[in-house]
Amino acid sequence: MQRPLMHDVMPLRTDLMSRARAVAKHVAPLAAETDRTEAYPWSSVEALRAAGLMGMTIPLEYGGLGASYFDAVCVIEELSKVCGATGRITVESNMGAIGAIMHYGTPAQKRLASSLVLAGDKPAICITEPEAGSAASEMTTRADRRGDAYVINGKKHWITGGGISKLHLIFARIFNEDGTHRGIGGFIVVSTQRGTPRGLIVGRREPAMGIRGIPETELIFDNLEVPVEMVLAASDEPERGFARLMEAYNAQRVGAAAVALGIAEGAFDLALAHVKERQQFGRPICEFQGLQWMLADMSIALSAAQALVYAAARSGSGEANFPDMLAAAHAKVLAADTAISVTNNALQLFGSAGYSRDRPLERMVRDARMFTISGGTARVLRTQIASRLLDRKLPQTRDGYAAL
Ligand code: FAD
Ligand code: COA
């Protein structure tokens, strides 16, 4: 079956791609240092902010560029070729928490969140708990209604940007004043220049394997008070809060898939250049058929992953709807698996030079490793895909995805 040309379905904003390339040029020489020092790349963030790429998906009326998920994914892919950390920051400043708030939020919540992101804040989405990872719906963090506020108690871990992010979207189990349960909802909590609000404690930083420039930390809530106006997606249909928040999360999964894809493409480009240069047995190593077949398989895998990532991005149209769950899961599983295999093969094509920390290959292998774990593990996403298939809940009519 012929795949429709992506530009026929939704035109790519070329102005955004030239901004992305300019930022990538600025970021590329900083990527190794960011990895080595594990320091948050504020200079890259400033370049993203100045180019309008922090919050590019925020609607024009709130000061963003009104970019589609497809536009954002193409930008993220481009940036991730040179720096996975910058790619991930771009995801979290356009999807995830900010996407959920711009979709479900009140006008006041949208104004608050968009002003923070447009000023350069990468929001944090706080779902995972030590005892509730894949089984996120078993979270025990609770929000108890006390008059005009909720009081949050509990603990999250592996929160990307903990201690750096100002805007937090915290998932918690809601209880009414009489103790009855109202399902899971989102709570918007903002740190200020002066620090985190009372009751929001930044805990241990994880010594992460890859994407080391962004802290992954615990967040502890000790009687953290949140005014009722800061509750998201849980007011009218309490029992649907979690499902609605997870629906928004599909965009973040597609963004993560684009980072994985970009990292793999960056490694592939380096390997391709290297095999043409490197001589052994009196000729460039690209003349050996075994390596040619390796390159061909890497190229096929990248094209397949790219097609699914673009299709998933196109299945959602920004403000109007989020990417489809099945399309997002397909894209993330394939892009994550591809990122691991392609970066490993790229390192192999460099031989000992790939194994050296003087080159970016070993960093790319480490950076690529997270995508089968974070944001829903590859097995959990495969389970979601299978349960959709077995329930016959396939999205036959969704634009873009069903068209494939
Ligand atoms: P577990 O759920 O304990 O899973 C362990 C293993 O068992 C996995 O291989 C899993 O696939 C498998 N498994 C579990 N259940 C099943 C099942 N039903 N069927 C088959 N296999 C199963 N969380 C946030 O909330 N916010 C963040 O910003 C964030 N950022 C992250 C960044 C990084 C780099 C990482 C590594 C994690 C991040 N996380 C974040 C947490 C992430 O979402 C969880 O790690 C993930 O959901 C898996 O949970 P877990 O680590 O507890 O693994
Ligand atoms: N998109 C849209 N809806 C979703 C969804 C998604 N990605 N994931 C779950 N939902 C909906 C389900 O359709 C269901 O709605 P329904 O009640 O109308 O049927 C509801 O949310 C509960 O989902 P279900 O699969 O029944 O939940 P569960 O209690 O078995 O929990 C999950 C399983 C959703 C937690 C698990 O599949 C998962 O995604 N784990 C990974 C968590 C994660 O990504 N963490 C990232 C942190 S950054």
Side-chain angles (χ1 to χ4, degrees):
M1 188 165 57
Q2 206 185 351
R3 191 156 56 91
L5 284 176
M6 61 192 181
H7 295 164
D8 292 346
V9 183
M10 193 183 285
L12 174 64
R13 283 180 53 175
T14 47
D15 60 318
L16 289 183
M17 283 312 284
S18 41
R19 294 182 201 201
R21 288 196 188 102
V23 175
K25 223 179 210 174
H26 171 81
V27 161
L30 309 173
E33 190 66 358
T34 297
D35 178 63
R36 195 183 62 75
T37 59
E38 305 189 13
Y40 192 65
W42 287 110
S43 154
S44 308
V45 171
E46 177 47 27
L48 287 171
R49 193 205 57 77
L53 302 178
M54 298 288 286
M56 74 188 115
T57 56
I58 291 173
L60 296 171
E61 60 182 301
Y62 287 96
L65 297 175
S68 68
Y69 286 131
F70 180 61
D71 291 327
V73 149
C74 292
V75 166
I76 291 161
E77 178 188 2
E78 192 64 25
L79 294 166
S80 304
K81 288 178 188 172
V82 296
C83 178
T86 305
R88 286 200 69 213
I89 290 167
T90 314
V91 173
E92 300 222 21
S93 62
N94 287 289
M95 292 141 173
I98 187 68
I101 296 169
M102 297 315 290
H103 190 80
Y104 295 124
T106 62
Q109 291 174 344
K110 291 181 189 183
R111 276 195 301 277
L112 173 70
S114 55
S115 65
L116 286 163
V117 171
L118 293 170
D121 184 50
K122 177 214 82 65
I125 188 154
C126 313
I127 307 173
T128 308
E129 299 178 359
E131 303 307 325
S134 297
S137 56
E138 291 177 7
M139 66 181 64
T140 55
T141 293
R142 58 185 290 151
D144 289 279
R145 181 76 184 249
R146 297 273 183 273
D148 288 341
Y150 283 93
V151 178
I152 305 187
N153 281 287
K155 181 177 179 178
K156 304 285 178 184
H157 77 165
W158 282 96
I159 303 307
T160 304
I164 293 279
S165 301
K166 289 196 177 71
L167 180 63
H168 304 82
L169 180 61
I170 300 168
F171 285 40
R173 205 168 274 294
I174 303 179
F175 291 89
N176 294 322
E177 226 145 2
D178 63 5
T180 49
H181 181 216
R182 293 189 56 210
I184 290 170
F187 292 80
I188 299 169
V189 173
V190 176
S191 303
T192 64
Q193 296 290 20
R194 280 171 286 127
T196 56
R198 198 149 62 99
L200 173 58
I201 299 148
V202 181
R204 175 178 184 269
R205 178 174 176 162
E206 300 289 344
M209 173 182 181
I211 316 264
R212 292 185 182 172
I214 315 178
E216 304 289 345
T217 75
E218 294 174 334
L219 285 183
I220 298 136
F221 317 121
D222 180 12
N223 289 318
L224 170 66
E225 237 181 75
V226 183
V228 283
E229 309 86 73
M230 289 294 123
V231 182
L232 184 75
S235 47
D236 51 346
E237 288 181 281
E239 67 290 350
R240 295 287 307 143
F242 181 65
R244 293 170 82 193
L245 292 168
M246 288 311 287
E247 202 176 323
Y249 193 73
N250 291 325
Q252 176 113 344
R253 286 184 175 156
V254 180
V259 180
L261 172 67
I263 293 171
E265 288 172 330
F268 178 77
D269 291 347
L270 293 173
L272 190 59
H274 179 75
V275 294
K276 291 183 196 161
E277 273 298 298
R278 173 73 174 164
Q279 303 248 349
Q280 287 294 284
F281 300 98
R283 62 184 110 151
I285 58 173
C286 66
E287 289 187 12
F288 299 115
Q289 195 177 45
L291 300 199
Q292 290 176 2
W293 287 355
M294 227 170 129
L295 290 166
D297 284 340
M298 291 159 81
S299 167
I300 293 166
L302 287 173
S303 294
Q306 189 183 48
L308 287 197
V309 172
Y310 287 178
R314 285 204 319 263
S315 73
S317 58
E319 224 188 333
N321 66 283
F322 295 111
D324 175 69
M325 169 184 169
L326 195 63
H330 280 184
K332 182 155 176 294
V333 169
L334 187 64
D337 284 348
T338 300
I340 291 173
S341 66
V342 168
T343 53
N344 265 296
N345 283 334
L347 184 149
Q348 185 69 29
L349 287 170
F350 270 85
S352 55
Y355 195 70
S356 166
R357 280 188 279 134
D358 279 348
R359 306 241 187 190
L361 279 306
E362 65 84 31
R363 166 169 55 84
M364 290 166 147
V365 167
R366 284 187 286 105
D367 285 357
R369 190 61 189 85
M370 63 169 278
F371 298 96
T372 60
I373 301 172
S374 74
T377 69
R379 290 245 164 86
V380 163
L381 295 184
R382 282 185 169 92
T383 302
Q384 284 195 346
I385 293 167
S387 57
R388 271 284 193 106
L389 295 173
L390 298 171
D391 281 354
R392 302 184 195 288
K393 278 195 203 161
L394 267 172
Q396 299 292 348
T397 56
R398 293 297 284 262
D399 288 348
Y401 190 65
L404 289 183

